[in-house]
Amino acid sequence: MISLRTALIAPYVVLVMALAIVIASLSYSAGTKAVDTVAEHLLRETAGRIAQAVERHVVGSRAVLEAAFPEGMPVASDIEKEIPALRSRFWIATSMHLDPNNYAYYGNRAGQFFGIWRNSRSEAELRLKLNAGASRVVSRFTGIDGALHEPAAEARLFEPRERPWYAAGLAGGAHAWTPIYVDFRTEELVLTRARRVLGTDGALEGVVATDVSLRGLSAFVRQLQLAPNGFAFIVEPDGNLVAASNTASLAPNSDGVRTRLKLLDAGNVELCAVYRALLPMLDGIRPNQPATVVRVAGAQVVDAALARFTDDAGLDWFIGVAAPRSDFTQGVTENVRRTVALGLIAAVLVVVTGMSILAWVARDLRRLSVAAMRAGEGDLQADVGIDRADEIGDLARSLVAMQDKLRTDRLTGLVNREALLNRIRKRIEMHRRADDMPFAVLFVDLNRFKEINDRFGHDVGDRVLVVAGMRLLHRMRDSDVVARYAGDEFAVLLDHVDSRDTAERVRQKAELALGDPLEGEEIAGLADLPRLGGAVGVAMFPADGRNAEELIQRADADMYARKPGSREAGLSWPAGGQAVDPVNASG
């Protein structure tokens, strides 16, 4: 009789030997085509990701300006009386996109200035200038309505009407971008969005603006995962570099001041060569469309994707992603040679592979077998530990679903009795191994449930059980386990309870939850339902019991002692075990 291993492995040996020559002849052609498809997809997708990053980086600036000065809201010629309102609106505006829009400001034709610079979520600076000839003052404050600290005057005279953002706001339409500039404090590239603001007479009164740091955009481009020698860049139509993955966008000039670089002056040979080849194509790239993929011939063949991002405020950037074709195809030729060699040892490899696959399959089958045996022995918490998309995975998921059904009460959806007992036993094992935190068990018996069943029928009784279970579930923590124990009895495993007082508070909370009247939305269509209520007993581990059954019994006895009219009412379970009457405990 042919063994399972032979039946599975032998056909593969014959098949590999027969197809070795065919695979060798077709691998180069098929591999080249596949590489071209993958390379095109990767380049186009990477260019699209950069375009999305650019949009996310700059799109929030429009909302910042709208929050600072809502469209159509006029402003007085003197901002002094509007400072409280401006402060509230500009705080909200700079809260929307703290990175990168942490600075919003306004300047008017009288030379006045108001701005809020956010240092953090709670700390900010108010920058204010009320007289054209006076210095701008800076006051720190905390929170939107925080008191202003002692103002500090700036040494250098600040004239808002001479700033590039003011000129851009006057010259542009509804929204306009300034040219990119280098922030003298952070030495990072910054872009400012500006918008006109009209006065109460409908005439131009001033300009509101917000800065957008390009630091995050540069970091995004640098951390892109491309081909080994691939690179990406963002450039303006005039050739000024915005960001690049393989070179800096700034360099010190002869005076040591960091200034912007033209892409062709960046000093990266590969980047400059690709950009020169792409220059004639720039005008033909349609804005905000999927990237165009081209092949550039030179010292080496380079595949490149080119996209163009524009917006309604005048932003116009080109996005490029490139990688040498050899980065994608270097394995194809070598793969052909390997295929011929692999044909000679194919039989051995197939045997090894077949044995590995069989071991892999057998390992998971053994896991299924062990889990099924443990489930048959009552351990419904056994972890199958198989995550596959094949038939074995389907079988594993079916076993997990079966375990779930076996440990779930069908009526209430809560954990059932056996599952709860297993959870308590595991919790006891955990306590004994490493966790010395005590825990508690609650035992719950519903009051007047038989009266409800007799008077309204079993369907209503079933709904009452569901309501009672949900009330208990909603009052417990996520780490606690609520179970339907039997009939109208419930039990709860309270995990990590530090003291009996804590357990008692939880017990009282459960009793209160059960004592609430049954609402119409809970038991729809019925009126005059009697108040349900329930008695709840508690037992602590390890004080009141050393195993699951004993804890349940102690909690049940404590519950019975607390029931109204019980002749054992008033008895409690001390940390030793026997019931004690608190009245006669001394005698």
Side-chain angles (χ1 to χ4, degrees):
M1 184 176 64
I2 299 176
S3 68
L4 177 61
R5 291 186 177 183
T6 302
L8 290 176
I9 295 175
Y12 285 100
V13 174
V14 176
L15 180 62
V16 170
M17 295 299 293
L19 294 179
I21 297 176
V22 177
I23 292 175
S25 62
L26 295 178
S27 61
Y28 184 81
S29 175
T32 302
K33 292 179 181 179
V35 163
D36 288 345
T37 301
V38 171
E40 180 177 344
H41 177 76
L42 174 64
L43 295 171
R44 182 175 284 117
E45 181 183 31
T46 304
R49 288 178 59 198
I50 297 175
Q52 291 174 354
V54 171
E55 182 176 19
R56 288 195 301 269
H57 210 72
V58 302
V59 72
S61 57
R62 170 182 283 274
V64 171
L65 297 186
E66 180 64 20
F69 268 107
E71 193 74 33
M73 173 181 284
V75 62
S77 57
D78 186 353
I79 66 173
E80 185 170 5
K81 295 181 179 179
E82 297 196 18
I83 289 177
L86 289 173
R87 180 174 167 182
S88 296
R89 295 205 307 270
F90 276 54
W91 177 277
I92 293 171
T94 53
S95 298
M96 299 175 68
H97 304 282
L98 197 58
D99 184 13
N101 304 116
N102 69 321
Y103 188 27
Y105 45 92
Y106 166 75
N108 65 12
R109 59 185 181 182
Q112 295 179 319
F113 178 87
F114 179 92
I116 286 187
W117 174 282
R118 296 290 293 279
N119 298 313
S120 66
R121 283 289 175 190
S122 59
E123 301 295 328
E125 295 176 3
L126 173 63
R127 301 177 179 183
L128 183 65
K129 178 176 179 175
L130 296 179
N131 297 311
S135 296
R136 186 172 65 173
V137 297
V138 179
S139 301
R140 298 178 64 86
F141 65 98
T142 301
I144 186 171
D145 295 321
L148 296 177
H149 292 190
E150 186 69 24
E154 295 179 331
R156 186 174 58 180
L157 185 64
F158 175 78
E159 174 50 68
R161 293 168 295 186
E162 296 177 358
R163 305 303 296 168
W165 55 269
Y166 194 88
L170 295 182
H175 288 258
W177 290 104
T178 66
I180 296 175
Y181 58 94
V182 181
D183 186 89
F184 72 93
R185 287 165 301 186
T186 63
E187 294 190 340
E188 298 285 350
L189 293 180
V190 176
L191 187 64
T192 300
R193 186 174 192 139
R195 196 198 78 197
R196 298 179 177 186
V197 179
L198 303 182
T200 54
D201 57 358
L204 176 65
E205 186 61 42
V207 174
V208 62
T210 183
D211 292 346
V212 180
S213 170
L214 301 182
R215 179 180 62 251
L217 186 60
S218 297
F220 175 83
V221 173
R222 285 196 299 270
Q223 70 184 10
L224 283 171
Q225 298 296 321
L226 300 170
N229 298 295
F231 53 88
F233 60 89
I234 303 174
V235 66
E236 293 184 295
D238 60 3
N240 277 320
L241 191 59
V242 178
S245 62
N246 59 349
T247 189
S249 305
L250 298 172
N253 60 15
S254 58
D255 298 327
V257 179
R258 286 166 59 84
T259 58
R260 294 191 67 191
L261 286 175
K262 292 280 189 181
L263 189 148
L264 293 177
D265 297 331
N268 187 287
V269 176
E270 294 82 5
L271 176 62
C272 293
V274 170
Y275 181 65
R276 285 193 185 95
L278 294 176
L279 270 174
M281 309 176 192
L282 296 185
D283 290 338
I285 302 300
R286 293 186 299 167
N288 304 322
Q289 297 295 317
T292 300
V293 178
V294 296
R295 181 160 292 166
V296 178
Q300 59 179 337
V301 179
V302 175
D303 289 336
L306 193 60
R308 186 174 188 176
F309 179 86
T310 64
D311 71 355
D312 58 356
L315 199 66
D316 189 1
W317 290 349
F318 288 98
I319 299 168
V321 182
R325 192 165 184 268
S326 59
D327 277 5
F328 301 108
T329 61
Q330 67 182 60
V332 175
T333 303
E334 185 180 350
N335 185 61
V336 172
R337 293 193 294 267
R338 282 200 303 265
T339 302
V340 176
L342 288 174
L344 302 176
I345 57 173
V348 174
L349 292 178
V350 167
V351 169
V352 173
T353 303
M355 296 293 289
S356 299
I357 293 174
L358 284 174
W360 175 52
V361 173
R363 180 189 64 219
D364 286 344
L365 287 175
R366 283 194 297 272
R367 288 180 179 175
L368 282 173
S369 177
V370 170
M373 287 182 5
R374 294 178 64 180
E377 295 170 356
D379 183 2
L380 303 178
Q381 303 295 330
D383 184 14
V384 177
I386 298 175
D387 184 14
R388 298 169 55 143
D390 55 11
E391 289 79 0
I392 293 178
D394 292 338
L395 184 58
R397 284 185 287 274
S398 297
L399 180 59
V400 170
M402 181 192 72
Q403 288 177 318
D404 187 58
K405 288 182 179 179
L406 289 175
R407 62 175 174 251
T408 302
D409 178 62
R410 293 186 179 182
L411 174 62
T412 62
L414 301 174
V415 171
N416 63 19
R417 174 177 181 163
E418 286 303 318
L420 175 70
L421 291 173
N422 282 332
R423 293 288 288 273
I424 296 175
R425 293 182 187 111
K426 287 195 172 184
R427 186 64 185 82
I428 293 173
E429 291 175 8
M430 184 189 309
H431 177 90
R432 289 170 178 165
R433 285 198 307 267
D435 181 4
D436 60 355
M437 174 65 75
F439 64 91
V441 173
L442 301 182
F443 196 86
V444 181
D445 184 49
L446 300 183
N447 297 334
R448 311 185 71 182
F449 179 72
K450 184 176 184 305
E451 176 185 343
I452 293 174
N453 250 349
D454 293 343
R455 182 176 172 187
F456 296 97
H458 290 284
D459 289 341
V460 173
D462 288 348
R463 282 183 281 170
V464 167
L465 290 175
V466 172
V467 169
M470 290 303 101
R471 286 186 179 182
L472 290 171
L473 187 64
H474 293 157
R475 297 309 192 280
M476 300 299 134
R477 301 166 299 180
D478 292 342
S479 59
D480 299 332
V481 180
V482 180
R484 184 185 177 197
Y485 198 73
D488 60 343
E489 296 173 341
F490 296 84
V492 182
L493 167 60
L494 300 178
D495 199 17
H496 287 86
V497 177
D498 56 2
S499 67
R500 189 177 295 273
D501 288 341
T502 300
E504 177 61 23
R505 287 194 295 271
V506 178
R507 188 201 68 76
Q508 292 173 357
K509 184 165 59 173
E511 271 193 354
L512 290 174
L514 295 173
D516 289 340
L518 293 168
E519 301 292 344
E521 59 270 18
E522 294 178 312
I523 309 296
L526 292 175
D528 300 328
L529 280 171
R531 184 182 294 270
L532 182 60
V536 183
V538 63
M540 293 288 296
F541 179 87
D544 296 336
R546 306 298 295 181
N547 56 57
E549 291 75 8
E550 189 173 348
L551 286 171
I552 290 291
Q553 291 172 2
R554 292 295 176 84
D556 184 14
D558 186 47
M559 177 276 299
Y560 181 72
R562 297 174 189 272
K563 267 185 171 293
S566 171
R567 57 187 180 86
E568 296 184 18
L571 299 186
S572 60
W573 291 102
Q578 295 300 322
V580 175
D581 186 338
V583 176
N584 300 315
S586 61

